Amino acid sequence: MTDPPELHQPAPVPACSPPTPWTTVSLLDFPDVFIGSTDDGHTFVILNRRIRDADQLLTEAGFLPREHLGRRLYLLSPGTTQDAHECAGIAMYGLLAHTHDLVDLSWTTRWSPDHPAVAPDLHFHFGDGTVAVTAATTTAGTLLEQHGFTPTAGGSSYRPPDGLDERGLLGAVTAAETHAYAHGLSTRVHLGIATPSDIPASARRPATATTGSVTAPAVRRRTR
């Protein structure tokens, strides 16, 4: 594989000190909207606050609503990557009219008409209180280092910057993933959630309906 041109240095992700323990549970709870994928190929949308017209937006895009352990989930069954990409894109652009606090780390929706599916250049895997990252190319590794990720023995695996709390870690991953997408690098994020029934309970109570906007760590921009 031929590496893309040299990448530009992005703004550094600030570290938070002292470090605190985190779990996938808390990572799902931070943004107003979290889009992710289960290991068995479902795409899910979590709403952490009530958003006007969200139910209509998501159901019209093909997602099925479901109450699960205190969460309002919207599920898209496994199908083709192109179909999931289009459904999630419709839902995302509708939701962005109401909030910019949206994080998209789904792997089931990563499709492009110009780039066939290949093994990912970057693979993020959440679990055991941290995130492990592997890079398939030198350029992918360089991008991770620009975001503060440190190579481990062997050079192909990376660990996140020291001292990050849950929000800082989520910001580091979404910033690196979005940066990779902007440079044509493929990514895959495993959240460590096997099936929809394994999505953890919410630690946050949804607020009343509102249309305010909050800046998100990063948002994946889809081509439609």
Side-chain angles (χ1 to χ4, degrees):
M1 177 177 178
T2 302
D3 285 343
E6 184 178 354
L7 305 173
H8 295 293
Q9 176 74 24
V13 177
C16 301
S17 182
T20 56
W22 63 270
T23 64
T24 301
V25 178
S26 56
L27 294 178
L28 300 181
D29 287 338
F30 277 119
D32 287 348
V33 181
F34 189 103
I35 304 176
S37 304
T38 58
D39 292 347
D40 67 355
H42 284 82
T43 307
F44 65 85
V45 178
I46 289 174
L47 300 182
N48 286 311
R49 71 171 175 85
R50 299 192 185 281
I51 297 174
R52 190 180 67 190
D53 301 328
D55 190 80
Q56 181 179 352
L57 286 168
L58 288 160
T59 54
E60 288 183 351
F63 288 80
L64 298 177
R66 174 178 170 184
E67 297 294 333
H68 174 71
L69 300 177
R71 292 191 186 280
R72 181 67 164 173
L73 297 180
Y74 294 85
L75 294 176
L76 191 66
S77 298
T80 68
T81 304
Q82 181 176 353
D83 287 344
H85 170 89
E86 292 175 353
C87 290
I90 292 170
M92 176 184 290
Y93 282 102
L95 291 168
L96 284 172
H98 300 285
T99 179
H100 289 168
D101 189 10
L102 183 154
V103 170
D104 176 14
L105 293 179
S106 59
W107 60 264
T108 47
T109 63
R110 297 310 195 243
W111 175 84
S112 169
D114 301 320
H115 299 91
V118 295
D121 297 301
L122 288 170
H123 192 164
F124 298 85
H125 195 287
F126 288 89
D128 298 326
T130 189
V131 58
V133 194
T134 55
T137 66
T138 301
T139 299
T142 299
L143 182 146
L144 288 173
E145 291 179 20
Q146 290 175 357
H147 286 271
F149 288 80
T150 304
T152 59
S156 63
S157 297
Y158 292 77
R159 60 181 176 82
D162 294 331
L164 295 181
D165 62 6
E166 298 99 323
R167 188 179 294 275
L169 180 70
L170 182 60
V173 172
T174 53
E177 200 270 352
T178 303
H179 188 194
Y181 174 72
H183 285 276
L185 300 178
S186 58
T187 63
R188 183 156 180 164
V189 179
H190 274 114
L191 297 170
I193 301 173
T195 70
S197 62
D198 297 307
I199 294 174
S202 176
R204 169 178 168 181
R205 185 184 301 276
T208 56
T210 179
T211 59
S213 297
V214 179
T215 302
V219 174
R220 171 79 173 229
R221 305 294 181 182
R222 286 188 171 82
T223 301
R224 294 177 56 191

